[in-house]
Structures are given as structure tokens and as C-alpha cells.
DNA sequence: CTGAAAGCGCTAACAT
DNA sequence: ATGTTAGCGCTTTCAG
């Protein structure tokens, strides 16, 4: 009942009084700024902990930094993104920066709203995971705040980028399956609604990589792509279409593990076995792929690495907005498990 | 190359000049505050859109609100949480509030750090999903900022709560399996490391509900709980232990769908079939449970509902911090699918 | 109904 | 090496 009024926050002024110094000195200690004697340092720090002082990030932001990094991701249901986030946290944990997540729920408008919200809250930098925005929009954002884009194949002087070589990743899959003797290798893709994004989105590049690799193996006539979405439902529906073909594929390459999950369901529902009747290969090598009975062959992108690289690039750009932009491209590897084997007969 | 200096932000002052009014008026329009004539309203709004003005949330926060709501969740890998988040967004989308997520990575210290970070960024309110903090700590937090706790069985005058009846949920499962003829019904629980939290955490209450229900059905002697974690790995390990029993259970009740997933893997690895050899029931009714081949019987908690209720409670508390606290308790239901059937023979 | 002016907690020139 | 002081963009008394 005693709805005790929220006790007034301890401010820099309280600390200054307690330590008998000026607020400037306290501020300097706070920022580890140059020009404070060790003695002062200690005295001020003592006052801070005595009083239980915590800097007010929002207020700091009005002049300097908020020590906040915004991470936009398309949705929170895709198990690949946590890897990236873990990677980013790995480097940020050691700093004063705090990550806050903004999921875009796979809607362009929401992505836009979230991104603006982050800027309006004066975050120090943004990590954008597979954003659906146009390159122009992204550069616009990058003009307002340091930005690192993850998993979009674009290059700009205004922002840094971290990607994996999706063409190579798709080729790994096709080559692996072709080496096993498969010819009818189908691909479940994520449909791209934005026409101008075709050259920069990982899903379209993965599909294109699949086509190239098929041709390179002399399997151009067997190219078979169904475009749904990278989701359990998408994989399920895609696989159902493929299984209904008169000449059924002997192998399915799903553009994402989460879609492979759906495909596995559809295959089971159809009374077929993996890999006996049909091989399945995923992409992302999420922990689900590794687990027990499934044993999904999948492409490892190095999500943690992408995340930590992104965080590092961002920190460096925050410290020096003028530094030349960088593009980090990681090479994928294939992790072979039980879901891929030679075709039947 | 033209590292054009980030164009200065449009502020309330620019708008005021453009509209030939004072900043006060602009501020009032911004907040829909009382005492501005319709004419003024229109004029100011026009200037705002002409200039592309966007309020600086961080600056607003220094005096009033930031229109930001922080949502802390234990981890982003559990597929149940997105439901809650969707529910919360459902009500918040219509407002000026923006949700930002802070994952705690299942570590108490990180949860604490995240929560403080949200307060320091002067968020207007916090939604805490299954926090691991003690009731005292939670009340402490609630003194600093409006708080709604989701999925902890606690009652406090300082904060609002949304829960489901976990005792009833566990009973639904036990009764269903017992009705099918099962006697050796085992439970995979999430171990509680914090002793004092035993009475308020959903996992412990679910386990206790299981015990009660078993006794009520005269199956007290068959009670069998393995405590691992609510995760794929936890379910896998738990099921392996259970399958190794000399008298193997004929049914497994996993405290969360994600653990049930692991259990299903372990059962498949052991060469057993579901539900032929063993029945499996989950909790949370995540979309994974519904999908295709799996068809997992599971307890529906109404995650979306929990999320939207939480958001509503929070908005109301933000508007009136003195209003009496409320506890919303939802009743779970059982969704029966193919993974549960009568025991063998 | 509208405006002037004093902060919110902190940083960054600019003194001293 | 330390202190004074003017803002950052906005809200909010308090006058008019």
C-alpha cells in the first residue's frame, strides 16, 4: 500500500557533492576521459559505488553516447538469428554497450518503423540482419547512424557489411548431392517480392547459385525451383509440390534449415523415408540440424562469427565514422550428416 | 566519399519557426495535450510533415515519456516466447509505443543487467517474461518503473501479473494419459537452481501439478521426474534417462514443447515409435507441435492472449501508477494430436 | 488559447 | 588537473 514515491535517482550531482568535486570530474571518470589523477579517480569511484550511482543512459545520449546498439532482425522464429546475436554479444559483453532487439515480423513497414525507432532513441549504432530495405534506404539510415548490414550482398562507402558467399554455399550442396549420384535435385527458395532486391538478397543469390552449380554439373535440364518462404510452413508446402511431380526429385535442397524442417515433415507425411527415398539438405546448420534423429546435412555459415564481426565493425565505426567502409565475406562449409545419401536404386 | 556530415535533425524549434508558433504549442500538439485550437493543431501538424519532423524519443524521456517498452525474455530460442511477443505487439501496434527486446540468455546476471539497462534508458514500462529474479528484486524494479510480470506465480501490490494455471495444465496432461490407460507416466522438468523460487516458477509448479494429479489418479507410486532443462538438449537427455529405466515409462510428459522435441529425437534414436511404443505430450502448443508429421499433443497456454493482456495492463499502469495491482490467470486447454494414444498391448 | 523560461542528467568547450 | 557553464530536445509550470 505504501506507494512510496519512486526514490529520486542518484545523479552525477549527488556524486560530485559526495566526493567534493565538480560534476565535470565525475563525468570524466565516467567516460575514462583524459585528465583525472588516480587519486581523484578512486575517490569518485568510491562515491559512485557508495551511492549506488548508475549513469542515466538516455540523458547521456542527449550529448554523447547512449551505449546502446540496436539489432534489427526479420523475425524471432528463425533459429539461425540467435547464432548471430550470440556472436555479437560475445564481443559486446566486454564493453559498456547494451544490445536491444527489434524484430520486424517479416514486414517491410515494421522494419522501417523499428529502424526509425532506434534512431529516434539515439542508439549509437545499428546492426541490421537481412534488412528488406533498398540500398538507398539503407544508405539513408547509415547517414543518420553507424550501420552494419548482415547478410545482404551490397557494398557502400557509407556502411559496413558482413556476408557469406551464398553462391559457394549453394554449390557445396549441389556438388555434394551430384557426387552422391543425384541428378534430380530440386531447390526450395524464399520468394523475393521486391524486384530490385534480387541481386542483393541472400535467398535469391542462393537460388541463383543453385542454378549455376546445376549447369556446371551438366544438370541444367533438371533445375527445379519452388519459391515459398524460409519457414516451416514454406518448407512443408514446397516439399509437397515437389513430391507431387510426375518425376519426383531424389534430393531436395532447402534454402534454410527451418524450411528443411517443414520439408522433412512433408516427406514423412507422404510415407517416404530420408535418405532412403529422398535426400534433404538444409542451410544454416542450426542446432536443430545437429540434434539426434534428424541429422540434417547443412551448410554452415558461421553465424556466431558473422555476429561478432558485425559487432566489431560497428564499434570501430562508432569510434571513427570517417573510416573507410569494409566488407567481410565468410566462406561457408558443408556439414554432412545422415539426411543425404545416394539416390534409390 | 562525400562523407556529408549527418544533416542536423529537425527539432521542435524548427517546426515552431516554420509554423510561426512557440515550441510550447508544438509540444502540446505532439502530446495531444489540452488547450490547442483546431486551427493551430492543423497548422503545426502541417509544418511537422512538411519538414519531416520526428520527435526525438530519448530527449522526450528526460522530462516525460520515451514511448518505449522493454520486454525481457529468458532466451530467444524457445518458440513459445514469440507468441507472447506477438500478442503484446498486437495491442502496442495501435499506439505510439515501441517494444524493444532484451534477451537474458538464461543467466541471472544478464537478466539483471538487461533490466537495469532498460531502466537506465528510461523506458516507460517493462514486461518481464519468466524472470529469474526474486520477488523482492522484482518489487525493487517495480518501484523504479511500471512492471508486468508474465508466467511467475506471484502477487504484489507493486506490479501486475499474467499467468496460466500450471497446476491445472499438468493435470490436463496426466488425466488425458491416465484416461488412455497409461500408468507409468514420467515427467521431464526444468530444474530450479534457485531454492526460494520454487513456489513461484512455472516449471516447478508444473512438476508439482504433475505429482498432485498422479496421486489424485492413484498413481502416486508411478511418479517419475527427471529434471533437466526446457530445451531441445534437455528433452533429449531427459528422455534418454527415462528410456534406460528397467521399467520404461509408457508416456512422457515434457514440461515444454521444445523439450518434447528433444524427447522425440531420443525416442527415434532408440528405435522406438510414437505413439506405438510410447506417448509424448508437450506444453505450450507451439506451432511446431501443430505441424505435419509430428502432431504433438500439447497444452495450450494462450501465449498471444498472455502477451496482449500484459501489454494492456502495462499501458494502464503507465497511465496511473497508483491503481491497484492486478493478477490475470488464464486457464490452459489440452490440444490432443497423434503423439498420444493408449499404451502398447 | 498561447508563449517565455526553467529545468531533466549529462557532456564538452572553455577557463583557471 | 580540476571547475564553470552552456547547451542537447523536449516537457512543464507559470504568466499573459
Amino acid at each position: 500500500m505504501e506507494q512510496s514515491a519512486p526514490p529520486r535517482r542518484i545523479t552525477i550531482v549527488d556524486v560530485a557533492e559526495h566526493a567534493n568535486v565538480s560534476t565535470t570530474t565525475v563525468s570524466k571518470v565516467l567516460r575514462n576521459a583524459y585528465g583525472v589523477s588516480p587519486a581523484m579517480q578512486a575517490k569518485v569511484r568510491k562515491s559512485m559505488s557508495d551511492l549506488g550511482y548508475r549513469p542515466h543512459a538516455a540523458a547521456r545520449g542527449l550529448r554523447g553516447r547512449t551505449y546502446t546498439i540496436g539489432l534489427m532482425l526479420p523475425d524471432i522464429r528463425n533459429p539461425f538469428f540467435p547464432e548471430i546475436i550470440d556472436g555479437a554479444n560475445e564481443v559486446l559483453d566486454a564493453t559498456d554497450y547494451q544490445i536491444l532487439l527489434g524484430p520486424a515480423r517479416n514486414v517491410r513497414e515494421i522494419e522501417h518503423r523499428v529502424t526509425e525507432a532506434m534512431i529516434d532513441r539515439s542508439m549509437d549504432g545499428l546492426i541490421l540482419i537481412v534488412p528488406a530495405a533498398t540500398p538507398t534506404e539503407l544508405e539513408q539510415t547509415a547517414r543518420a547512424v553507424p550501420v552494419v548490414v548482415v547478410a545482404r550482398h551490397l557494398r557502400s562507402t557509407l556502411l559496413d557489411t558482413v556476408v557469406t558467399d551464398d553462391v559457394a554455399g549453394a554449390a557445396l550442396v549441389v556438388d555434394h548431392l551430384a557426387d552422391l549420384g543425384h541428378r534430380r535435385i530440386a531447390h526450395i527458395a524464399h520468394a523475393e517480392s521486391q524486384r530490385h532486391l534480387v541481386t542483393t538478397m541472400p535467398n535469391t543469390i542462393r537460388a541463383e547459385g543453385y542454378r549455376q552449380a546445376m549447369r556446371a554439373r551438366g544438370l541444367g535440364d533438371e533445375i527445379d525451383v519452388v519459391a515459398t518462404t524460409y519457414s516451416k510452413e514454406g518448407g512443408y508446402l514446397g516439399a509437397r509440390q515437389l513430391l507431387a511431380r510426375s518425376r519426383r526429385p531424389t534430393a531436395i535442397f532447402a534454402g534454410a534449415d527451418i524450411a528443411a524442417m517443414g520439408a522433412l515433415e512433408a516427406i514423412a507425411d507422404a510415407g517416404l523415408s530420408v535418405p532412403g527415398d529422398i535426400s534433404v539438405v538444409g542451410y544454416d546448420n542450426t542446432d536443430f540440424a545437429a540434434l539426434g534423429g534428424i541429422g540434417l546435412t547443412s551448410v554452415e555459415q558461421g553465424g556466431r562469427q558473422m555476429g561478432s564481426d558485425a559487432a566489431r565493425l560497428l564499434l570501430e565505426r562508432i569510434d571513427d565514422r570517417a573510416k573507410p567502409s569494409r566488407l567481410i565475406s565468410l566462406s561457408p562449409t558443408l556439414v554432412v550428416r545422415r539426411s543425404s545419401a545416394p539416390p534409390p536404386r
Side-chain angles (χ1 to χ4, degrees), chain A:
Chain A
M1 294 304 149
E2 31 116 16
Q3 196 73 26
S4 58
R8 203 181 54 75
R9 250 190 107 100
I10 307 288
T11 77
I12 204 181
V13 177
D14 300 314
V15 176
E17 280 175 6
H18 183 102
N20 271 311
V21 297
S22 74
T23 59
T24 309
T25 308
V26 179
S27 174
K28 284 195 165 185
V29 172
L30 214 54
R31 291 172 289 133
N32 292 311
Y34 175 82
V36 190
S37 68
M40 274 278 108
Q41 278 268 2
K43 192 166 66 167
V44 173
R45 286 207 190 287
K46 172 131 195 335
S47 293
M48 295 210 255
S49 68
D50 280 0
L51 297 175
Y53 168 78
R54 264 163 38 203
H56 190 300
R60 298 180 85 169
L62 224 45
R63 292 296 261 155
R65 302 180 177 183
T66 55
Y67 295 93
T68 312
I69 286 176
L71 189 149
M72 188 289 292
L73 69 172
D75 78 304
I76 31 175
R77 288 185 160 86
N78 187 327
F80 176 56
F81 300 140
E83 305 288 323
I84 302 181
I85 298 171
D86 281 352
N89 272 318
E90 210 169 82
V91 352
L92 262 15
D93 273 348
T95 71
D96 286 332
Y97 285 89
Q98 173 66 44
I99 284 197
L100 257 17
L101 267 44
R105 289 175 276 161
N106 288 318
V107 178
R108 259 186 69 87
E109 288 68 35
I110 299 186
E111 171 181 318
H112 188 245
R113 175 175 169 172
V114 167
T115 310
E116 288 202 330
M118 289 176 164
I119 296 174
D120 295 344
R121 281 150 189 81
S122 44
M123 296 196 174
D124 297 336
L126 264 40
I127 296 178
L128 307 178
I129 317 246
V130 212
T134 66
T136 318
E137 291 170 327
L138 291 172
E139 294 202 320
Q140 201 55 41
T141 307
R143 250 181 274 269
V145 59
V147 165
V148 176
V149 172
V150 176
R152 276 285 293 275
H153 294 257
L154 49 84
R155 154 157 258 149
S156 159
T157 52
L158 300 176
L159 49 83
D160 301 298
T161 309
V162 179
V163 280
T164 51
D165 186 341
D166 289 299
V167 171
L172 285 175
V173 176
V174 171
D175 285 341
H176 166 66
L177 291 168
D179 286 346
L180 285 171
H182 290 273
R183 294 184 53 82
R184 294 204 295 283
I185 303 168
H187 177 54
I188 299 178
H190 179 97
E192 188 48 65
S193 49
Q194 303 287 314
R195 206 179 323 145
H196 12 288
L197 301 189
V198 166
T199 55
T200 61
M201 293 296 275
N203 43 313
T204 56
I205 296 196
R206 238 167 256 178
E208 188 49 36
Y210 154 83
R211 288 193 189 88
Q212 281 180 29
M214 287 293 277
R215 278 184 227 108
R217 297 290 298 224
L219 300 175
D221 293 345
E222 304 286 359
I223 289 174
D224 187 359
V225 178
V226 292
T228 59
T229 60
Y230 285 173
S231 67
K232 237 165 319 196
E233 295 69 22
Y236 188 87
L237 296 173
R240 279 195 28 164
Q241 283 183 50
L242 291 172
L243 295 178
R245 300 262 198 268
S246 50
R247 287 180 74 240
R248 201 172 64 205
T250 62
I252 293 180
F253 162 31
D257 278 3
I258 189 155
M261 276 185 73
L264 289 174
E265 303 283 341
I267 293 169
D269 279 6
L272 298 172
S273 77
V274 172
D277 297 310
I278 189 164
S279 288
V280 175
V281 177
Y283 208 104
D284 290 345
N285 193 29
T286 54
D287 52 1
F288 138 86
L291 196 74
I294 295 182
L296 182 72
T297 297
S298 188
V299 176
E300 166 68 52
Q301 294 201 62
R304 289 189 78 92
Q305 183 71 47
M306 295 176 84
S308 57
D309 282 345
R312 248 183 302 270
L313 286 177
L314 189 58
L315 289 183
E316 292 177 17
R317 178 151 304 281
I318 288 173
D319 278 336
D320 176 10
R321 293 200 54 164
K323 88 178 339 180
S325 79
R326 284 177 294 173
L327 166 78
I328 296 185
S329 178
L330 306 179
S331 293
T333 56
L334 186 72
V335 179
V336 178
R337 295 201 184 84
R338 294 196 304 283
S339 70
S340 55
R345 207 169 342 147

